[in-house]
């Protein structure tokens, strides 16, 4: 799994970090993927997909 967060779209609502704190973190007022997270972990994958679908501006893309 690979995660991309469009920094231009992200409005810093922090929904992704509350849905999947193992996968996303805030850096200033933008979200970024947590470094070193096990993206092969099924639970993390599910949460990341949930965040992808929930982001109000569609800034998150989860591949794979
Ligand atoms: Fe940004 Fe969307 Fe997360 S707006 S903070 S990527 S839920």
């Amino acid at each position: 799994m690979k995660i991309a967060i469009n920094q231009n779209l992200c409005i810093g609502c922090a929904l992704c970090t509350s849905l999947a704190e193992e996968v996303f973190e805030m850096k200033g007022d933008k979200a970024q993927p947590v470094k070193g997270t096990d993206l092969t972990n099924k639970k993390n994958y599910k949460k990341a997909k949930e965040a992808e679908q929930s982001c109000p501006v569609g800034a998150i893309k989860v591949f794979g």
Side-chain angles (χ1 to χ4, degrees):
M1 174 171 74
K2 196 168 171 267
I3 294 174
I5 300 170
N6 186 323
Q7 299 291 304
N8 294 325
L9 290 177
C10 175
I11 55 169
C13 74
L15 184 64
C16 54
T17 58
S18 57
L19 284 173
E21 59 185 354
E22 302 88 345
V23 184
F24 302 99
E25 64 186 4
M26 299 305 292
K27 188 181 183 191
D29 59 356
K30 304 283 179 177
Q32 65 177 18
V34 174
K35 284 195 180 76
T37 296
D38 181 8
L39 298 178
T40 60
N41 178 297
K42 276 203 180 99
K43 207 173 118 201
N44 286 347
Y45 179 78
K46 219 179 134 195
K47 286 187 173 184
K49 286 300 263 184
E50 205 180 321
E52 179 187 38
Q53 281 155 22
S54 305
C55 175
V57 293
I60 301 170
K61 292 282 170 267
V62 178
F63 306 97

